[in-house]
C-alpha cells in the first residue's frame, strides 16, 4: 500500500513519520503527472506546492483550522490529502472540480477561483473566530506572489495589520509567476528578499548548522526572527511588510519540509498576523514543466507525459489565435495602438504583438481594475488601448469601465476571451455575465462576431471608435467555418430565409449563428418559416432590427449569456420603444452558477444547440401562431 493511498484525511497525514514524508511527496508528484496529463488541468502550480501543502496539513487542523486557497488552481494536493484521490474525471461532469469546492469537502471554504480574494476571506474568518470566542481556531490564507499584485489583496493587508493580536497566517507561495513571470514593483521587492546576500547566508546556515544542532539551533533561529527591524534590515529589506505591522518569516525553501513545518509552527504560535514567505518552483519534479519558460505547464490539456504532445491534436484554429494575428497586423498599421493585459499575455493571444511591439505592451499583473483605468489614461493621452482579458475577469473592473472610461467617452477597446460557456473551469470562469453587465454602460458598443472574418472586421471597427468604449467578445473554442451573409440591412447581416414570407425572426448572437441556421432548417420541417439574422453589434440595438421584426410574427433571440438583462432583453425593450408589437422570446443560459462540464454539454443542456433552439422556438410558435403553423403543416 502506498503512503498516499493510506491518507484519507489530514489526521492520517500527521501519523506518517517525518522521515517518510519525502517519499509521500514523490508519490504525490507521480500521481499528479499521471492523472493530470490524462485529463488536463493545472499541473505546474500543483507540482510546486506539494511540500507546502503537506506541511500546512500537518501543522494546522483542517477543517477546524480554516485554510483558504487564493485562486484555488493549486489545490489538487490539498484534495489528495483530504480524501479525494479519484482524479479520473477531473474537471468533467461528475468528477472533481479543478478548484476548491464546498460541495466536495468540508475542507474547502472558498470556491471562487478569481485571484487576490483569500486575504479578505481570511480577515473575515479571523474576525468571526474572535467574536465567537474561538481563540484556539487558526485562519490561514495561501496566496501566490502573482495574486499579491491585485489591489484587493492590499486592501485586505491594510485591515489585517490593524489587529496585531488577531491570529492570521498568510503564506506567500512565491514562485515568481502567475501564468508567466510576475511583474511589477512587488515582484521586484520579493526578488530582493529572495536574493539578498544576507538572507542567502541565513538560509545556508539554517539548512546546515542550525538543523544539525537542534539544541542550539532553535534559539538562534528564534533570536534571528525575533530581532529588531533595524537588525533584520541588514539581512533583507523586508520593511514593507513590517511597516504594515506584519510579522515576517522567511524566505523559506518551500520544498524543505522540516523548514516549512518549523516556520508554520512558529507562525501558528505568534498570536497575531504573520507572513510566511515560501520560495517554490512551479512545475517542480517534472522536467518538461520546469523547462517550459512560457508558463511552466500552468494548465495543460490531455498530453502524453513523456513526449508532452497533445493526446488529441485540436486540428482547428482558435478564436484567440485569430485575434492575436489580427492584433499584430493592426499594430504594424497603427502606431497609436497599445495592448494591456492582466497577467495573461499568452492566454489572451497577445504574445505575438508583445514580441513585435514590446514598448506598446503592458502586463499589469493580476490587477484588472488598474488595467482599465490605466487604459483610460492611455486613451486620454492620445493612444488607443486594447485591453484583453477573460470575460469573467472584466466583472471585477465594472466600475472602472463605467466611471473611468465610459463617463469620459474614451476610445478603449475591450477584448473578452472565454466569453459565454467555458465549461471545465466551472461557475467562476463561465463568461456569461458580460452582455448583461455591460448593457447599463452608456455609450458602450458591444460586438459578438460569429466567425473569423467577422472577428477581424469587428476588431478593426472597434479600434476605429475614438469617442466611446468598445467590446469584442468570443469563446474558448476553435472557430468554425465562415458563415456568409445573404445581405446586410442597416448593420444587421441576414444569414438565411426559409420562405418568401417568413414568420419567425431568429436573432442569433455571435457563435449561436450556427445553431440558429440549423434550427431554421429544422423549423421548416415543422411548418414554420424563419429569417436568421446576426446583428453583429449587439449594443446599441440596431434600428434595423425593429424594421425586420415588424415584418415577422415572432422574434426569438439566442445568446450564450445569461437570459436576465442580456441582448434579448435589450432587443425586447428596443422593439417596445419603436412601437413594434411583436412577441419576443429570449433563449440563453439559465441565470445560475453552472457546474463544471464540457462546453458542448452545457450548451446542449441549456437548449442552445440547433435542435434545442428549434424545439423551443417551435413550442413558442405553436402557442403564439396556431393558425399559420397549422396551415403550413397541413399543406406539407
Amino acid at each position: 500500500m502506498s503512503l498516499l493511498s493510506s491518507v484519507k484525511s489530514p489526521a492520517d497525514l500527521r501519523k506518517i513519520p517525518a522521515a517518510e514524508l519525502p517519499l509521500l511527496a514523490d508519490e504525490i508528484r507521480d500521481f499528479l503527472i499521471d492523472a493530470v496529463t490524462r485529463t488536463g488541468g493545472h499541473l505546474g502550480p500543483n507540482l510546486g506546492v506539494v511540500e507546502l501543502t503537506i506541511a500546512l496539513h500537518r501543522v494546522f487542523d483542517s477543517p477546524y483550522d480554516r485554510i483558504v486557497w487564493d485562486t484555488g488552481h493549486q489545490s489538487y494536493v490539498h484534495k489528495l490529502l483530504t480524501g479525494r484521490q479519484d482524479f479520473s474525471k477531473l474537471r468533467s461532469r461528475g468528477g472533481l472540480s479543478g478548484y476548491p469546492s464546498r460541495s466536495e469537502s468540508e475542507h474547502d471554504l472558498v470556491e471562487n477561483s478569481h485571484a487576490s480574494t483569500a486575504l479578505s476571506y481570511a480577515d473575515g474568518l479571523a474576525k468571526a473566530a474572535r467574536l465567537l470566542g474561538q481563540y484556539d481556531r487558526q485562519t490561514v490564507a495561501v496566496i501566490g506572489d502573482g495574486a499579491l499584485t491585485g489591489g484587493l489583496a492590499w486592501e485586505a493587508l491594510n485591515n489585517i495589520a490593524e489587529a496585531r493580536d488577531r491570529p492570521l497566517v498568510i503564506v506567500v507561495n512565491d514562485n515568481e509567476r502567475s501564468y508567466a513571470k510576475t511583474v511589477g514593483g512587488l515582484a521586484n521587492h520579493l526578488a530582493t528578499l529572495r536574493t539578498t546576500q544576507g538572507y542567502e547566508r541565513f538560509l545556508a546556515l539554517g539548512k546546515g548548522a542550525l538543523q544539525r544542532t537542534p539544541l542550539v539551533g532553535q534559539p538562534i533561529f528564534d533570536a534571528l526572527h525575533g530581532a529588531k527591524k533595524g537588525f533584520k534590515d541588514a539581512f533583507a529589506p523586508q520593511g514593507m511588510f513590517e511597516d504594515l505591522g506584519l510579522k515576517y518569516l522567511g524566505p523559506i525553501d518551500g520544498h524543505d519540509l522540516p523548514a516549512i513545518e518549523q516556520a508554520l509552527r512558529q507562525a501558528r504560535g505568534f498570536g497575531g498576523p504573520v507572513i510566511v514567505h515560501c520560495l517554490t518552483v512551479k512545475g517542480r519534479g517534472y522536467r518538461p514543466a520546469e523547462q517550459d519558460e512560457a508558463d511552466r505547464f500552468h494548465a495543460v490539456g490531455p498530453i502524453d507525459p513523456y513526449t508532452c504532445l497533445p493526446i488529441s491534436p485540436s486540428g482547428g484554429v482558435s478564436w484567440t489565435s485569430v485575434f492575436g494575428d489580427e492584433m499584430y497586423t493592426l499594430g504594424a498599421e497603427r502606431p497609436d495602438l497599445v495592448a494591456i493585459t492582466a497577467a495573461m499575455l499568452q492566454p489572451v493571444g497577445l504574445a505575438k504583438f508583445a514580441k513585435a511591439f514590446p514598448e506598446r505592451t503592458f502586463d499589469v499583473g493580476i490587477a484588472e481594475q488598474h488595467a482599465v483605468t490605466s487604459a483610460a489614461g492611455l486613451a486620454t493621452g492620445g493612444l488607443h488601448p486594447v485591453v484583453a482579458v477573460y470575460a469573467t475577469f472584466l466583472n471585477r473592473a465594472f466600475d472602472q469601465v463605467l466611471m473611468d472610461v465610459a463617463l469620459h467617452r474614451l476610445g478603449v477597446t475591450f477584448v473578452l476571451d472565454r466569453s459565454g460557456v467555458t465549461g471545465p473551469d466551472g461557475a467562476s470562469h463561465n463568461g456569461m455575465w458580460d452582455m448583461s453587465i455591460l448593457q447599463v454602460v452608456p455609450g458602450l458598443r458591444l460586438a459578438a462576431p460569429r466567425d473569423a472574418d467577422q472577428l477581424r472586421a469587428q476588431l478593426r471597427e472597434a479600434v476605429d471608435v475614438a469617442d466611446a468604449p468598445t467590446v469584442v467578445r468570443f469563446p474558448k473554442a476553435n472557430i468554425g467555418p465562415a458563415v456568409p451573409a445573404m445581405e446586410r440591412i442597416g448593420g444587421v447581416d441576414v444569414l438565411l430565409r426559409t420562405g418568401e414570407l417568413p414568420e419567425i425572426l431568429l436573432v442569433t448572437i455571435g457563435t449561436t449563428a450556427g445553431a440558429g441556421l440549423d434550427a431554421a432548417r429544422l423549423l421548416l420541417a415543422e411548418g414554420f418559416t424563419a429569417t436568421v439574422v446576426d446583428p453583429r453589434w449587439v449594443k446599441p440595438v440596431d434600428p434595423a432590427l425593429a424594421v425586420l421584426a415588424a415584418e415577422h410574427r415572432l422574434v426569438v433571440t439566442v445568446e450564450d449569456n445569461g437570459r436576465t438583462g442580456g441582448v434579448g432583453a435589450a432587443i425586447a425593450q428596443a422593439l417596445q420603444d419603436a412601437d413594434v408589437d411583436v412577441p419576443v422570446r429570449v433563449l440563453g443560459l439559465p441565470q445560475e452558477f453552472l457546474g463544471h462540464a464540457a462546453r458542448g454539454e452545457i450548451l446542449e443542456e441549456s437548449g442552445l444547440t440547433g435542435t434545442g433552439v428549434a424545439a423551443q422556438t417551435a413550442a413558442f410558435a405553436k402557442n403564439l401562431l396556431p393558425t399559420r403553423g397549422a396551415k403550413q403543416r397541413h399543406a406539407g
Side-chain angles (χ1 to χ4, degrees):
M1 185 178 185
S2 68
L3 282 173
L4 178 57
S5 62
S6 72
V7 178
K8 307 300 182 186
S9 71
D12 295 329
L13 173 65
R14 290 189 284 271
K15 295 175 185 176
I16 296 177
E20 296 183 24
L21 294 177
L23 176 58
L24 174 63
D26 289 343
E27 288 184 8
I28 290 173
R29 284 196 169 88
D30 289 343
F31 178 97
L32 290 173
I33 293 168
D34 178 67
V36 181
T37 56
R38 291 174 188 270
T39 62
H42 290 96
L43 182 56
N46 287 284
L47 293 173
V49 297
V50 173
E51 289 84 3
L52 175 56
T53 310
I54 291 172
L56 282 165
H57 279 296
R58 282 172 62 84
V59 173
F60 297 97
D61 182 17
S62 177
Y64 185 72
D65 292 336
R66 276 80 68 92
I67 302 174
V68 182
W69 299 87
D70 197 274
T71 310
H73 58 247
Q74 78 282 40
S75 64
Y76 294 7
V77 185
H78 163 77
K79 289 176 185 275
L80 291 173
L81 298 178
T82 53
R84 290 166 282 175
Q85 297 183 9
D86 181 1
F87 275 43
S88 60
K89 292 183 178 180
L90 178 69
R91 302 170 75 243
S92 297
R93 176 64 52 81
L96 292 177
S97 167
Y99 297 91
S101 172
R102 292 160 69 100
S103 64
E104 282 181 12
S105 172
E106 62 181 346
H107 296 277
D108 293 1
L109 276 81
V110 175
E111 56 191 83
N112 174 13
S113 51
H114 288 192
S116 310
T117 61
L119 299 186
S120 294
Y121 278 114
D123 177 55
L125 285 165
K127 288 172 179 172
R130 178 56 58 92
L131 288 170
L132 294 172
Q134 299 167 343
Y135 297 105
D136 62 335
R137 197 170 202 179
Q138 298 285 324
T139 304
V140 183
V142 184
I143 185 168
D145 58 304
L148 275 177
T149 60
L152 180 60
W154 288 91
E155 293 176 27
L157 281 172
N158 182 56
N159 276 264
I160 289 167
E162 181 185 23
R164 303 195 179 193
D165 61 344
R166 186 187 304 136
L168 199 164
V169 177
I170 300 167
V171 178
V172 177
N173 171 35
D174 180 5
N175 60 24
E176 305 180 58
R177 289 175 171 267
S178 44
Y179 284 76
K181 288 186 72 67
T182 309
V183 297
L186 174 67
N188 295 335
H189 181 83
L190 291 176
T192 303
L193 289 175
R194 289 183 213 113
T195 57
T196 299
Q197 282 292 319
Y199 251 106
E200 290 298 321
R201 290 194 296 271
F202 172 80
L203 287 174
L205 182 64
K207 287 185 177 181
L210 293 183
Q211 290 181 3
R212 288 194 298 272
T213 56
L215 293 178
V216 178
Q218 184 63 45
I220 294 175
F221 184 90
D222 291 343
L224 283 171
H225 280 285
K228 296 291 185 182
K229 176 179 180 296
F231 175 73
K232 285 191 285 184
D233 277 348
F235 290 92
Q238 55 190 341
M240 177 174 68
F241 295 115
E242 296 206 332
D243 285 347
L244 280 171
L246 296 166
K247 175 78 169 177
Y248 174 89
L249 298 177
I252 311 295
D253 181 346
H255 303 292
D256 184 333
L257 264 165
I260 307 170
E261 280 201 32
Q262 183 184 44
L264 291 176
R265 292 189 192 282
Q266 280 192 289
R268 181 186 179 103
F270 180 64
V274 56
I275 287 180
V276 180
H277 181 189
C278 293
L279 308 184
T280 62
V281 176
K282 192 173 182 178
R284 170 89 170 197
Y286 186 33
R287 186 172 294 276
E290 291 180 353
Q291 294 179 339
D292 178 49
E293 279 305 310
D295 65 5
R296 301 285 176 89
F297 283 25
H298 178 86
V300 298
I303 61 172
D304 184 299
Y306 301 102
T307 65
C308 300
L309 295 175
I311 298 298
S312 301
S314 72
V317 176
S318 71
W319 286 89
T320 305
S321 65
V322 172
F323 160 68
D325 288 344
E326 192 64 17
M327 265 297 288
Y328 167 77
T329 302
L330 281 166
E333 297 172 8
R334 289 187 49 168
D336 66 323
L337 205 67
V338 295
I340 303 176
T341 188
M344 291 188 176
L345 192 73
Q346 301 244 10
V348 298
L350 287 177
K352 189 173 181 180
F353 184 96
K355 184 176 181 180
F357 315 107
E359 74 286 351
R360 289 194 270 146
T361 306
F362 305 98
D363 184 345
V364 301
I366 301 176
E368 290 85 3
Q369 291 175 302
H370 168 63
V372 174
T373 304
S374 177
L378 285 161
T380 302
L383 300 171
H384 191 104
V386 176
V387 181
V389 295
Y390 288 5
T392 183
F393 296 141
L394 190 70
N395 301 351
R396 319 190 83 187
F398 170 75
D399 181 69
Q400 286 68 36
V401 173
L402 179 67
M403 291 297 175
D404 299 338
V405 177
L407 176 64
H408 298 94
R409 298 179 177 84
L410 295 172
V412 177
T413 296
F414 299 94
V415 174
L416 306 187
D417 202 325
R418 274 71 164 172
S419 70
V421 173
T422 56
D425 281 326
S428 66
H429 271 55
N430 285 319
M432 57 179 283
W433 321 103
D434 58 299
M435 291 199 294
S436 297
I437 291 172
L438 295 174
Q439 285 296 333
V440 304
V441 180
L444 181 141
R445 308 177 198 183
L446 196 157
R450 66 180 181 267
D451 58 23
D453 292 340
Q454 289 302 309
L455 172 54
R456 296 185 190 99
Q458 290 180 273
L459 179 62
R460 286 179 173 270
E461 292 167 22
V463 299
D464 278 343
V465 176
D467 60 352
T470 53
V471 178
V472 180
R473 76 186 304 263
F474 50 79
K476 179 184 181 181
N478 288 333
I479 293 188
V483 182
M486 297 173 57
E487 62 176 311
R488 182 169 291 177
I489 300 174
V492 178
D493 279 353
V494 178
L495 306 182
L496 179 68
R497 288 193 182 93
T498 60
E500 291 185 8
L501 296 172
E503 302 165 290
I504 302 166
L505 180 66
L506 274 174
V507 184
T508 61
I509 309 305
T511 57
T512 67
L517 291 170
D518 291 342
R521 297 180 181 106
L522 292 169
L523 285 166
L524 188 60
E526 288 283 311
F528 296 105
T529 55
T531 302
V532 183
V533 299
D534 169 17
R536 301 180 71 251
W537 288 88
V538 298
K539 182 184 179 340
V541 175
D542 195 306
L545 276 176
V547 176
L548 283 162
E551 299 170 355
H552 295 75
R553 300 179 64 199
L554 170 66
V555 176
V556 177
T557 67
V558 190
E559 61 191 293
D560 58 342
N561 182 77
R563 294 178 64 242
T564 302
V567 177
I571 290 173
Q573 181 67 55
L575 298 188
Q576 180 181 321
D577 293 346
D579 292 324
V580 176
D581 190 18
V582 177
V584 179
R585 295 296 181 267
V586 176
L587 301 183
L589 296 171
Q591 208 70 46
E592 60 191 51
F593 294 111
L594 304 174
H596 60 278
R599 182 170 184 268
E601 290 176 326
I602 294 175
L603 290 173
E604 184 172 5
E605 289 177 4
S606 302
L608 297 180
T609 60
T611 47
V613 172
Q616 294 175 88
T617 302
F620 298 146
K622 288 170 184 176
N623 287 329
L624 296 167
L625 316 174
T627 304
R628 174 63 177 160
K631 285 182 179 179
Q632 288 228 348
R633 288 195 298 277
H634 181 72

